[in-house]
């Protein structure tokens, strides 16, 4: 969601279908030794003392103006619903990434705290209906496009938050750290990460029946916009086909509302040239409107992890994922552990298959997912010291393993327990102050 381009560039030379294929082919996987790591952390911005009360647009605007005056190493963006995102610079090590983002978050929190606001690590807003904060042509068009598949799109835009881990694509050559293996592993490990870090069981103050309601929203948006390609062919070719056969979200204009075609794929657009011929800039923009769980942007962007509780909760999924991809022994362990899970996808691309849905609905209550998560966390813990992780980071991962993985739980279970008990540990008012519990069947 951090890809913003609210201004329409001047039209340039038109491209045809062959041009589009060649351009996507050339940029999707930039191969080489895995050396760089990054993270994008999204947060809900809430009242510190009464988070179930909405923050006015005026207060958010003032707060963000103050935050933008602070010097940050990370890129700061604001999401359509007012969520805040920090995107790290590519880092040469895990600890370089952790230290830079942690310092930026400390600075941002200090500014927000002066206005009584805070960053809340939840994958889905448990209190408020989706509400647009940004009014830009891009988001007007996105809303109009996503509304065609139901209300899930607005919830994704305005009420969700995540931890997105960015990894190098890997070597061109085959092998444990090759890009073909890492592409496959990202998709098969994805549901394990969904289950282990599920942290969004509530919407409208009540349980939805899913531990990761955020992942439910992505599922409901549909395969053309939020799905990935099939994994039964070479990654570059599969991604090229997926991109060209995906529906165009909008055709930008220099002024006025943007066109929102219904069902026009980018391939069809290159062939028809209607309402105008597409350009390289249109293709670049089209790529930012596709939201698969694993997005190749030269590097791999893993987008399936819910935002995590606590100031430093985001560090655990970053560290675990980095270890499972960049340490050869841990990566091989993860590959062997997740391989049996592939049968449960029934050959259907992520996340619109039974395995991903089971992970989002039930988390680690699923015995197979729990067993694989335990193997992967153990492998990550063995690998982290070799990746330069500090004792603090290793201890945080070990504590998460003890609290959640070994017990078949995730942060969403804590939220549901607190809600049922009516304690102050629940994310909002006590249980008697919320609406009655029930299933969320609205999307």
């Amino acid at each position: 969601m951090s890809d913003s381009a609210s201004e329409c560039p001047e039209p340039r030379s038109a491209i045809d279908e062959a041009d589009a294929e060649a351009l996507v082919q050339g940029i999707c996987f930039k191969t080489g030794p895995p050396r760089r790591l990054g993270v994008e952390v999204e947060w809900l911005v809430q009242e510190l003392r009464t988070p179930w009360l909405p923050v006015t647009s005026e207060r958010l605007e003032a707060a963000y103006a103050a935050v933008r005056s602070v010097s940050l190493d990370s890129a700061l963006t604001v999401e359509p619903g007012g969520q805040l995102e920090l995107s790290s610079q590519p880092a040469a090590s895990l600890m370089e990434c952790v230290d830079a983002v942690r310092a930026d978050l400390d600075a941002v929190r200090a500014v927000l705290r002066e206005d009584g606001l805070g960053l809340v690590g939840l994958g889905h807003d448990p209190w408020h209906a989706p509400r647009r904060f940004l009014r830009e042509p891009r988001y007007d068009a996105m809303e109009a496009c996503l509304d065609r598949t139901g209300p899930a799109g607005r919830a994704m835009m305005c009420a969700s938050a995540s931890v997105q881990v960015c990894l190098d694509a890997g070597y061109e050559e085959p092998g444990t750290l090759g890009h073909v293996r890492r592409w496959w592993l990202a998709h098969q490990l994805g549901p394990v990460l969904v289950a282990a870090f599920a942290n969004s069981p509530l919407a409208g103050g009540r349980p939805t029946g899913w531990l990761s309601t955020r992942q439910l929203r992505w599922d409901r948006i549909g395969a053309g916009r939020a799905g990935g390609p099939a994994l039964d062919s070479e990654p570059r070719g599969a991604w090229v086909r997926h991109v060209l056969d995906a529906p165009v979200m909008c055709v930008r204009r220099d002024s006025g509302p943007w066109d929102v075609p219904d069902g026009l794929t980018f391939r069809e657009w290159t062939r028809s040239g209607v309402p105008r011929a597409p350009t390289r800039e249109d293709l670049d923009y089209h790529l930012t409107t596709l939201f698969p769980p694993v997005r190749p942007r030269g590097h791999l962007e893993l987008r399936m992890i819910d935002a995590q509780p606590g100031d430093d909760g985001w560090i655990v999924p970053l560290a675990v994922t980095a270890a499972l991809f960049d340490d050869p022994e841990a990566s091989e362990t993860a590959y062997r552990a997740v391989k049996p899970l592939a049968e449960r996808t029934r050959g259907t691309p992520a996340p619109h298959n039974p395995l991903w849905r089971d992970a989002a609905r039930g988390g680690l209550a699923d015995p197979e997912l729990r067993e694989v998560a335990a193997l992967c966390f153990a492998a990550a813990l063995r690998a982290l010291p070799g990746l330069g992780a500090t004792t603090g980071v290793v201890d945080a991962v070990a504590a998460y393993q003890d609290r959640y993985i070994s017990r078949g739980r995730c942060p969403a279970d804590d939220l549901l327990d607190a809600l049922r008990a009516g304690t102050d540990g629940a994310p909002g008012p006590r249980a008697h102050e919320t609406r009655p519990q029930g299933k969320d069947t609205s999307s």
Side-chain angles (χ1 to χ4, degrees):
M1 290 294 299
S2 61
D3 308 292
S4 61
S6 58
E7 299 297 327
C8 181
E10 290 296 321
R12 298 184 181 178
S13 300
I15 58 173
D16 60 19
E17 185 177 352
D19 294 331
E21 289 178 342
L23 287 166
V24 177
Q25 178 95 7
I27 64 174
C28 55
F29 294 93
K30 296 189 180 300
T31 54
R35 292 173 176 162
R36 296 286 181 174
L37 175 71
V39 68
E40 300 175 15
V41 286
E42 293 177 334
W43 303 85
L44 304 177
V45 178
Q46 308 285 357
E47 298 278 0
L48 280 173
R49 295 187 177 182
T50 53
W52 54 92
L53 297 180
V55 181
T56 66
S57 296
E58 291 76 18
R59 284 188 69 197
L60 280 179
E61 288 172 359
Y64 286 143
V67 168
R68 289 191 178 98
S69 69
V70 178
S71 178
L72 300 173
D73 184 70
S74 305
L76 169 69
T77 52
V78 178
E79 299 300 304
Q83 310 97 306
L84 182 146
E85 178 178 281
L86 289 180
S87 301
S88 75
Q89 300 296 328
S93 70
L94 170 63
M95 292 314 303
E96 179 183 314
C97 183
V98 167
D99 291 343
V101 175
R102 181 189 271 153
D104 287 344
L105 285 168
D106 287 345
V108 169
R109 287 193 179 97
V111 173
L112 293 177
R113 196 179 301 117
E114 292 179 1
D115 195 30
L117 299 176
L119 301 178
V120 178
L122 289 166
H124 190 278
D125 193 320
W127 310 285
H128 311 121
R131 181 187 61 168
R132 283 271 301 283
F133 170 68
L134 297 180
R135 294 291 172 181
E136 299 174 1
R138 167 182 171 86
Y139 297 122
D140 292 342
M142 180 183 291
E143 186 175 271
C145 175
L146 296 178
D147 278 352
R148 290 175 178 151
T149 58
R154 292 196 184 202
M156 176 274 291
M157 290 174 62
C158 301
S160 69
S162 68
V163 176
Q164 299 177 17
V165 180
C166 299
L167 305 153
D168 278 335
Y171 288 99
E172 183 69 26
E173 298 77 19
T176 301
L177 300 184
H179 76 285
V180 174
R181 169 76 73 88
R182 287 162 73 87
W183 174 248
W184 186 91
L185 178 61
H187 287 84
Q188 305 303 344
L189 186 62
V192 181
L193 298 175
V194 169
F197 296 107
N199 187 37
S200 53
L202 307 174
R206 57 187 178 183
T208 64
W210 294 65
L211 296 184
S212 178
T213 301
R214 175 181 172 273
Q215 189 59 46
L216 168 64
R217 303 307 188 208
W218 286 112
D219 183 282
R220 295 286 171 83
I221 288 171
R225 184 69 52 203
L231 300 179
D232 57 358
S233 60
E234 188 274 326
R236 285 192 181 91
W239 180 245
V240 168
R241 290 188 294 274
H242 182 75
V243 169
L244 267 63
D245 292 332
V248 173
M249 177 175 285
C250 55
V251 177
R252 297 173 295 166
R253 293 178 176 272
D254 292 325
S255 61
W258 295 357
D259 292 334
V260 184
D262 190 359
L264 175 71
T265 69
F266 200 91
R267 190 186 304 278
E268 292 167 344
W269 191 12
T270 64
R271 293 175 177 178
S272 70
V274 175
R276 60 169 174 79
T279 66
R280 165 67 185 267
E281 292 71 34
D282 290 317
L283 177 60
D284 290 343
Y285 187 83
H286 175 62
L287 288 167
T288 72
T289 69
L290 303 180
F291 309 116
V294 183
R295 186 160 63 173
R297 305 180 63 187
H299 59 272
L300 301 182
E301 182 183 77
L302 277 64
R303 305 171 52 85
M304 72 289 294
I305 302 169
D306 280 358
Q308 294 297 289
D311 288 355
D312 292 335
W314 57 275
I315 295 174
V316 174
L318 170 64
V320 169
T321 306
L324 295 178
F325 276 83
D326 289 350
D327 179 86
E329 184 175 341
S331 186
E332 182 65 23
T333 297
Y335 172 76
R336 293 179 181 275
V338 302
K339 201 169 183 180
L341 293 175
E343 296 181 6
R344 291 174 57 179
T345 68
R346 299 178 185 173
T348 304
H352 300 90
N353 64 54
L355 176 62
W356 280 75
R357 288 170 179 149
D358 290 346
R361 184 184 291 110
L364 296 184
D366 183 298
E368 193 172 18
L369 285 168
R370 178 179 178 177
E371 179 182 359
V372 173
L375 291 170
C376 288
F377 263 72
L381 281 167
R382 290 193 297 271
L384 281 170
L387 295 179
T390 62
T391 301
V393 169
V394 175
D395 288 347
V397 173
Y400 194 97
Q401 181 189 45
D402 291 342
R403 180 173 181 176
Y404 296 116
I405 307 304
S406 64
R407 302 179 184 181
R409 291 174 59 86
C410 60
D413 292 307
D414 290 348
L415 297 175
L416 292 172
D417 287 350
L419 185 68
R420 284 190 285 264
T423 68
D424 290 332
R430 291 176 180 268
H432 67 270
E433 298 177 275
T434 65
R435 291 184 288 172
Q437 296 184 26
K439 298 286 186 177
D440 174 23
T441 57
S442 61
S443 64

